[in-house]
Amino acid sequence: MKKITKQTYLDWYKDMLFWRKFEDKLASVYIQQKVRGFLHLYNGQEAILAGALHAMDLTKDKMITAYRNHVQPIGMGEDPKKVMAELFGKVTGTSKGMGGSMHIFSKEFRFYGGHGIVGGQIPLGAGLAFADKYKGSDAVTLTCFGDGAARQGSLHEAFNMAMLWKLPVIFIVENNGYAMGTSVGRTANHEDIWKLGLGYEMPCGPVDAMNPIKVAEAVDEAIQRARRGDGPTFLEMKTYRYRGHSMSDAQHYRTKDEVEEYKKIDPITQVKDVILEKNYATEEEISAIDKEVKKMVLECEKFAEESPFPETQQMYDMVYEQEDYPFIS
């Protein structure tokens, strides 16, 4: 695995803080009805993305996930201004304002969504990996989903085929404890989701996903296995979300004390503590990063606010691309 250095920690701190503040801004403008529909935030789960990106080769590896999907394309290289514009429904967005919150997509940076169907992306991720194997590429696909999606039948079909064909895919369940408002303990007679891989003799295991180092180590091992042609891995990222399932979630299923307890192991705070302990940066330098992040978020908001909405005609152009399509009168 690439060495974890002083710069790695500084990058992790800035990136995770930016992702957190970017989504905090989204929560704020959602209340103002500038972002419509549903809004599912990643607050608390940032170490999964930070660690995974450290292990990935961003020139070829791919990622696909569910609808908690705003910060992943930013991490993969997409312009955050375009991501925020997409959430605002503006023409300058990643899908020209046609996808919105749950369907962020960036072909250029190999981020394949953003899927609203629970578990729908699991076989799609296996399909992306199949394409790479078929074409002779050594690229790897990270297929992420929530603990609720782990109960979908499509997971078992994808697991079976991925093992049968030794596909270069890493299945990652982001277990934040609750499938919407239902705790993991109430969705099955076991709470170790990673053990689902055992039925397919798939390498699998749990990961402390509040720590980006632990995530990076686990994902790196899985990527190396996939690149060797040894097939898939199933990782259970044990994490926590500080906000509700979506902005409409009243969160009656958990206590404020529980949330505060998990905030004591906030991945951003953990990284910041290491930076200070190892003298990678002073409090003043960290404060400067905080100010820069705040400025970046405001620039994203300004870009989204000032961008135009798409013309109505765009909807028809994107649905029917073929000019001489014969089946429309």
Side-chain angles (χ1 to χ4, degrees), residues 22-36 39 84 87-88 247 301 304-305:
F22 183 91
E23 290 206 315
D24 285 346
K25 175 58 70 176
L26 290 177
S28 174
V29 296
Y30 183 86
I31 295 170
Q32 300 171 44
Q33 297 188 335
K34 293 178 180 178
V35 171
R36 305 298 182 92
L39 184 67
M84 188 165 285
L87 281 142
F88 274 62
M247 286 295 290
E301 181 186 20
E305 287 272 19

Side-chain angles (χ1 to χ4, degrees), residues 109-139:
F109 294 99
R110 292 164 293 283
F111 179 74
Y112 292 92
H115 293 269
I117 302 300
V118 176
Q121 75 278 17
I122 301 174
L124 294 179
L128 288 167
F130 174 80
D132 280 325
K133 182 164 186 176
Y134 184 81
K135 294 176 181 177
S137 168
D138 69 342

Side-chain angles (χ1 to χ4, degrees), residues 4 6 17 57 75 84 88 129 141 228 231 246 251 260 270 277 285 290:
I4 295 174
K6 166 186 173 180
L17 184 65
D57 183 341
M84 188 165 285
F88 274 62
T141 298
R228 290 195 305 267
S246 70
Q251 305 182 59
E260 290 305 314
Q270 287 194 56
E277 287 169 12
E285 289 169 329
D290 296 349

Side-chain angles (χ1 to χ4, degrees), residues 1 77 91 179 267 281 311:
M1 187 175 72
V91 74
E311 297 291 335

